[in-house]
Amino acid sequence: MTSRDIIDITAPPGTPSLLVLRALGLGDLLTAVPALRALRRARPAHELVLAAPARLAEAALATGAVDRLLPAAAPGRAVPGRIAWPGPPPDIAVDLHGNGPESHLPLRELRPARLMAYAHPDTPGIPGPQWRDDEHERARWCRLLDWFDIPADPEDLRIPLPGRPSPAPGAVVLHPGADAGARCWPADRYAAVARALHAAGHRVVVTAGAGEGALARSVAGRAGLPASAVLGGDADVPFQDLAALVARARAVVAGDTGLAHLATALGTPSVVLFGPVAPRLWGPPDDPRHRALWHPDGPGARPGDAHGERPDERLLRITADEVLAALAALPEPVAGSLPGSGPRPPAAAAAVSG
């Protein structure tokens, strides 16, 4: 099924509808998987429609919880001012986007029979639990549903492995980009990691989202990698190709971005670099397959601006040697034994497995 199919297919007339608003990025979608799964289990007869950017259609389908994507987007992390919902009001609307009038009102304007959202003093007619700032993103939305008597498990975050082969089986995948400069570890440090891995015999791939091609090519060039080592850049890597790459990778190195969350969702070993926001809010689960590197000043969970233009000072405390050491401590990926994954060269095994 293509992304066009998931946008266009509608349920038979009379099917009850459940609309979920989460019009953000790939990482945001993947952190909402436990909540989406809980809604799917609780309302199996409903058509579950996700209001999100159209480019996430294939990723939404891959969760196994979404029936249809309704295109909805706004600049940055803003809330769409209007949701183009066709037909009669949805039976249930769920705000998994934010907290307050900005996300409540576009849903309320659709006149759903029931609206599930966090309580806010500026929308007193909408009941719900109290918002907590210091809460992991996966747990936040599960707690919302629990309040409405829908059991949800924050650990229910895995998505199925894609059926297609990897474009670079067994590679270490580096993703230097992010949607804010504050979460971009310097290109020269990514290049140092890539150079060391390449010298040890690893295949290294540098991925890039739309508009990140120059950054990815800079990393690859400084590391002495061929131009073919860069995937994406002029446009996003198609989700199914990206998922196949990550699922059968040796490991992923990325900042607090969608690719890091994709590694978590697929169970691929990862090293995730944190700066302005603590991993206890957006990090991977406590699992030997994932290493979160984080050098805070104190106990605060949000010491920096997650949407700032310059790399956060805490992110800059992470060294290339530290990342290489974290990679060396990772276990073998479960997907490494799948068809098409390919063996790792002996030198690479020594460099990464320690």
Side-chain angles (χ1 to χ4, degrees):
M1 181 176 287
T2 67
S3 61
R4 191 71 196 166
D5 292 328
I6 193 173
I7 292 171
D8 288 348
I9 285 180
T10 55
T15 302
S17 55
L18 194 167
L19 174 64
V20 176
L21 175 62
R22 187 131 174 108
L24 295 163
L26 176 61
D28 303 280
L29 168 62
L30 294 173
T31 56
V33 163
L36 292 170
R37 290 252 175 81
L39 288 168
R40 176 78 290 160
R41 288 192 299 268
R43 300 292 185 272
H46 284 63
E47 182 194 30
L48 198 156
V49 181
L50 178 68
R55 63 185 178 84
L56 295 181
E58 288 189 349
L61 178 63
T63 68
V66 174
D67 296 312
R68 180 162 61 94
L69 186 139
L70 179 69
R77 297 184 68 82
V79 184
R82 178 178 176 273
I83 300 171
W85 177 259
D91 294 272
I92 303 170
V94 184
D95 182 2
L96 297 186
H97 188 107
N99 173 44
E102 292 83 1
S103 52
H104 290 176
L105 296 182
L107 289 172
R108 191 167 69 178
E109 287 175 0
L110 302 178
R111 297 180 291 110
R114 189 179 191 190
L115 175 54
M116 300 181 186
Y118 275 102
H120 194 279
D122 292 338
T123 50
I126 299 176
Q130 294 299 308
W131 180 272
R132 298 174 189 165
D133 285 331
D134 192 5
E135 185 170 27
H136 196 286
E137 191 72 3
R138 291 190 302 271
R140 181 190 309 287
W141 304 114
C142 290
R143 182 169 65 86
L144 170 67
L145 298 184
D146 285 339
W147 195 88
F148 286 99
D149 296 322
I150 297 177
D153 178 6
E155 300 302 312
D156 185 14
L157 49 81
R158 295 289 295 274
I159 64 174
L161 296 176
R164 68 180 60 185
S166 168
V172 178
V173 178
L174 308 185
H175 187 77
D179 63 7
R183 286 177 278 120
C184 283
W185 199 49
D188 60 341
R189 301 191 197 182
Y190 273 108
V193 171
R195 191 182 310 114
L197 292 171
H198 183 59
H202 272 287
R203 184 174 186 178
V204 180
V205 168
V206 184
T207 54
E212 297 175 346
L215 172 61
R217 289 189 292 270
S218 172
V219 170
R222 296 183 196 190
L225 303 179
S228 60
V230 175
L231 296 183
D234 294 332
D236 290 337
V237 180
F239 178 77
Q240 290 296 333
D241 293 338
L242 188 65
L245 171 70
V246 170
R248 293 169 176 86
R250 170 65 186 97
V252 167
V253 180
D256 179 13
T257 67
L259 200 76
H261 293 289
L262 184 58
T264 298
L266 291 167
T268 300
S270 65
V271 176
V272 189
L273 319 179
F274 284 86
V277 178
R280 63 188 169 95
L281 299 186
W282 280 91
D286 185 11
D287 186 311
R289 287 172 293 188
H290 307 296
R291 298 295 179 101
L293 303 184
W294 160 244
H295 296 301
D297 301 304
R302 300 179 189 271
D305 178 5
H307 309 295
E309 296 180 359
R310 297 179 178 277
D312 184 79
E313 60 185 275
R314 284 148 289 269
L315 186 64
L316 294 177
R317 294 171 188 161
I318 300 171
T319 68
D321 285 344
E322 185 179 3
V323 171
L324 289 166
L327 280 168
L330 292 176
E332 290 284 348
V334 174
S337 60
L338 294 176
S341 64
R344 293 187 297 128
V352 172
S353 293

